[in-house]
């Protein structure tokens, strides 16, 4: 026979229900955001492939028109506008081209850095760990090897620790290896107090709310982007929108070509 107390729902039951509902809603929202992101990415690719050459042609015609007008008038302001229009057409040089082999996207080449600091260029010295360092390393590798772990959490802890051991041994850092040996001997940090079921559920709800807020920002950025705004104009038939833009660009190209012909003719 059940008592009235046994028939009462657990205090966490309604909270669990709220968490499950929030999780499902977040999943649906993530699917919607990711779907729109893929659509924007695909539309952007198609937009670049189909309309990119037309935009490039328009930029080139604008530069030629500005140059023709400047050549006709000789006005300094027209000359400035022509230079700016041509600069928009010219490709940007790479970092290495700009600095004539002195640096690339990763920074100064070693030879260049050495010249600027009056230092000679030398290859790094080989590190040969001491016998004591090799001994410490072997002991730590045997004791902390990840394959000795029985659980995933312990394996992850050992893998992180062995990574630090390997880095210290590669540098021949005997002092750090001793510190790591003491750290391993002391054992893992004591486990923190386990939160109650209610605390875990509230923490989960807070995380879900933060995740939704982040996704809302991502969705807003996608919608407010140039491609996203265009896609929202014709969500059911984006190809038609591309055709309409292409027709307008073709008309703009024809108008620019007529203007250029008049200037140079």
């Amino acid at each position: 026979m059940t008592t009235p107390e046994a028939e009462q729902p657990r205090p966490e039951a309604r909270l669990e229900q709220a968490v499950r509902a929030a999780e499902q809603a977040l999943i649906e929202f993530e699917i919607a955001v990711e779907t729109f992101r893929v659509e924007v990415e695909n539309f952007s690719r198609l937009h670049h492939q189909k309309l990119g050459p037309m935009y490039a042609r328009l930029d080139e015609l604008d530069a030629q028109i500005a140059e023709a007008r400047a050549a006709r008038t000789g006005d300094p302001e027209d000359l400035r506008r022509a230079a700016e229009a041509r600069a928009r057409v010219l490709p940007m040089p790479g970092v290495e081209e700009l600095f004539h082999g002195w640096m690339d996207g990763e920074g100064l080449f070693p030879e260049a850095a050495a010249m600027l600091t009056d230092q000679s260029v030398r290859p790094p010295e080989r590190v040969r760990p001491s016998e004591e360092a090799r001994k410490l390393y072997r002991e730590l590798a045997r004791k902390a090897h990840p394959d000795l772990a029985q659980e995933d959490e312990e394996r992850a802890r050992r893998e992180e620790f062995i990574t630090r051991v390997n880095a210290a041994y590669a540098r021949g850092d005997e002092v750090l290896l001793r510190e790591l040996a003491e750290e391993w001997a002391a054992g893992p940090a004591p486990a923190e107090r386990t939160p109650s079921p209610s605390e875990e559920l509230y923490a989960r709800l807070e995380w879900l709310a933060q995740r939704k807020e982040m996704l809302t920002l991502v969705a807003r950025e996608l919608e407010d982007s140039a491609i996203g705004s265009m896609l929202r104009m014709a969500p059911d038939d984006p190809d038609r929108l591309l055709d309409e833009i292409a027709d307008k660009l073709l008309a703009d190209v024809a108008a620019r070509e007529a203007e250029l012909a008049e200037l140079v003719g």
Side-chain angles (χ1 to χ4, degrees):
M1 180 176 179
T2 59
T3 63
E5 290 79 5
E7 294 176 355
Q8 294 294 324
R10 293 180 299 110
E12 300 88 7
R14 294 183 63 184
L15 190 56
E16 288 177 353
Q17 187 177 3
V19 169
R20 300 290 88 80
E23 287 175 339
Q24 190 60 41
L26 182 63
I27 289 172
E28 296 299 326
F29 188 42
E30 285 186 343
I31 291 173
V33 173
E34 179 62 14
T35 300
F36 187 62
R37 186 195 67 77
V38 171
E39 290 175 353
V40 169
E41 187 176 282
N42 290 336
F43 188 76
S44 177
R45 188 180 299 110
L46 290 172
H47 181 272
H48 178 73
Q49 291 174 350
K50 186 168 185 176
L51 306 182
M54 297 186 191
Y55 286 119
R57 176 59 177 162
L58 281 173
D59 287 341
E60 175 62 29
L61 286 170
D62 285 339
Q64 292 182 16
I65 289 170
E67 289 167 344
R69 184 174 292 114
R72 173 177 290 188
T73 65
D75 184 88
E77 185 63 18
D78 287 340
L79 292 170
R80 183 188 64 79
R81 292 195 185 99
E84 289 180 352
R86 177 53 61 189
R88 284 193 293 269
V89 176
L90 292 174
M92 283 292 293
V95 173
E96 188 170 348
E97 180 183 347
L98 279 172
F99 289 92
H100 306 291
W102 279 63
M103 68 181 298
D104 60 11
E106 301 297 324
L108 285 173
F109 293 131
E111 294 80 2
M115 291 177 63
L116 293 174
T117 56
D118 295 326
Q119 296 177 355
S120 59
V121 180
R122 295 184 302 172
E125 298 180 0
R126 289 183 60 85
V127 175
R128 183 173 178 80
S130 66
E131 185 60 35
E132 181 63 17
R134 289 197 290 273
K135 178 183 176 182
L136 288 167
Y137 173 74
R138 287 193 293 267
E139 290 176 354
L140 285 170
R142 293 191 186 101
K143 293 177 181 178
H145 199 284
D147 287 348
L148 298 176
Q150 300 295 323
E151 299 177 354
D152 292 341
E153 184 176 351
E154 175 63 13
R155 171 178 286 274
R157 183 179 80 90
R158 286 171 175 264
E159 287 175 347
E160 185 276 334
F161 182 82
I162 284 295
T163 298
R164 290 191 286 145
V165 170
N166 290 339
Y169 182 67
R171 297 193 301 270
D173 194 334
E174 184 178 326
V175 173
L176 180 54
L177 285 170
R178 289 185 184 279
E179 293 175 356
L180 289 169
E182 293 173 359
E183 178 184 331
W184 185 259
E192 299 180 356
R193 181 185 71 85
T194 303
S196 68
S198 295
E199 290 173 333
E200 290 182 343
L201 289 169
Y202 277 117
R204 179 64 174 167
L205 275 177
E206 183 178 357
W207 181 88
L208 290 168
Q210 292 173 351
R211 176 72 175 170
K212 182 179 180 183
E213 183 178 352
M214 184 273 291
L215 286 171
T216 300
L217 293 176
V218 172
R220 186 176 301 134
E221 289 179 358
L222 287 171
E223 292 173 353
D224 293 343
S225 67
I227 295 296
S229 299
M230 292 170 59
L231 187 56
R232 285 191 293 127
M233 294 171 58
D236 299 326
D237 192 4
D239 291 337
R240 178 182 59 79
L241 179 60
L242 282 178
D243 291 338
E244 291 177 357
I245 298 174
D247 290 341
K248 183 181 183 305
L249 290 176
L250 285 172
D252 290 341
V253 167
R256 299 287 207 289
E257 288 176 340
E259 183 180 357
L260 179 61
E262 184 177 347
L263 282 169
V264 299

